[in-house]
Amino acid sequence: MHWLIVRFMRLKSNIWVAAYLRRCQTEGVFGAVRRRGAEEAGAVFVKVSLLDGHAMLYVPAPQTSYDDGRPVDRFFVPVAQQPLPENTIEERLTKELRFDPDAWIVETEDRAGRHFLELAKT
């Protein structure tokens, strides 16, 4: 019975972030933790800087995006379909942190905008 409980536990945020940054590194994309949140279950926000003054921001998908078949996955959604000015992204992140002080902020830099995230189906 114990193996069943472990099988469906979600990966801790700190472990997920470390694995995500390793994935970015193997693809030649620089990434760093800008803000460390709650290690167990802090929400993770991923900013992808395009190095031209614009960026994409990916936020945790709403709970309705998850089905019972994959409860341990982390899905993300972009806040906009097109890149936004970096100051707009920073304003959004400031608001998110006021709402959720346990959140993580991870930032990567990639001119092509690669993010390596699992996006929720919309």
Side-chain angles (χ1 to χ4, degrees), residues 43-58:
V44 179
F45 295 83
V46 178
K47 175 183 172 186
V48 179
S49 175
L50 304 177
L51 303 170
D52 66 356
H54 292 82
M56 292 291 292
L57 179 62
Y58 297 90

Side-chain angles (χ1 to χ4, degrees), residues 49-106:
S49 175
L50 304 177
L51 303 170
D52 66 356
H54 292 82
M56 292 291 292
L57 179 62
Y58 297 90
V59 300
Q63 285 299 112
T64 56
S65 300
Y66 295 84
D67 62 25
D68 291 335
R70 299 176 71 178
V72 297
D73 292 339
R74 287 184 188 258
F75 293 110
F76 292 83
V77 293
V79 297
Q81 294 305 312
Q82 299 297 319
L84 298 171
E86 290 217 35
N87 64 329
T88 302
I89 300 292
E90 292 302 321
E91 289 170 7
R92 171 71 185 261
L93 288 171
T94 299
K95 289 178 187 175
E96 293 290 351
L97 290 175
R98 270 191 236 125
F99 178 74
D100 182 6
D102 292 333
W104 290 73
I105 298 176
V106 176

